[in-house]
Amino acid sequence: MVLTAARPASADDKERAKTLFREGRDAMTAGDYEIGCPLLERSHTIVAAVGTLLNLALCEEKRGHLAVARERWKEARDLAQKENDARAKVAAERLAQLEKRTPKLTVNIQGGAASVRTQRDGKQPRDVPTAQLGKPLRLDPGKYDVL
């Protein structure tokens, strides 16, 4: 097993992340979540920041990706708590609100099926982890097929 540590962000990385963040926020403000969310995601990938996660969570929520938004609110809360950032409370409140609205599907299997997948609206199928069987699986709204 090889472990690698993430390198600290360089000044160029930080500037690129800020640019992507601004572009993502501008797209969100214009109501273009399909452009804004990926830009915010790229910014977050370069430099993890509470503000970026808060905006990314909101963007995904506006986009209708409630399961993804839930994970982002959770990440924002956890990072804010780790950094002693007062915005942890806001993220926790939004997470609690979204918990109530996020659809859940519980898959129970009889007969030892080898694998289970869900597919929404003909998009890429998603494997359901064996450990998740019998437990609520959080999903984005839509029509699903269980494969």
Side-chain angles (χ1 to χ4, degrees), residues 79-125:
L79 183 58
Q81 286 173 341
K82 180 181 174 186
E83 294 181 355
N84 245 358
D85 188 315
R87 295 176 289 182
K89 183 178 178 186
V90 171
E93 289 169 356
R94 293 298 298 256
L95 176 60
Q97 292 168 1
L98 194 58
E99 280 285 347
K100 298 172 189 172
R101 295 181 27 230
T102 306
K104 297 171 191 76
L105 171 71
T106 302
V107 178
N108 293 306
I109 302 293
Q110 293 180 347
S115 66
V116 177
R117 301 178 123 186
T118 61
Q119 184 174 27
R120 180 176 69 115
D121 303 327
K123 295 182 181 172
Q124 183 71 27

Side-chain angles (χ1 to χ4, degrees), residues 126-147:
R126 174 182 169 192
D127 289 325
V128 177
T130 305
Q132 192 65 41
L133 295 175
K135 298 176 185 171
L137 177 66
R138 287 170 178 79
L139 303 170
D140 291 330
K143 180 182 173 217
Y144 283 84
D145 294 313
V146 179
L147 314 169

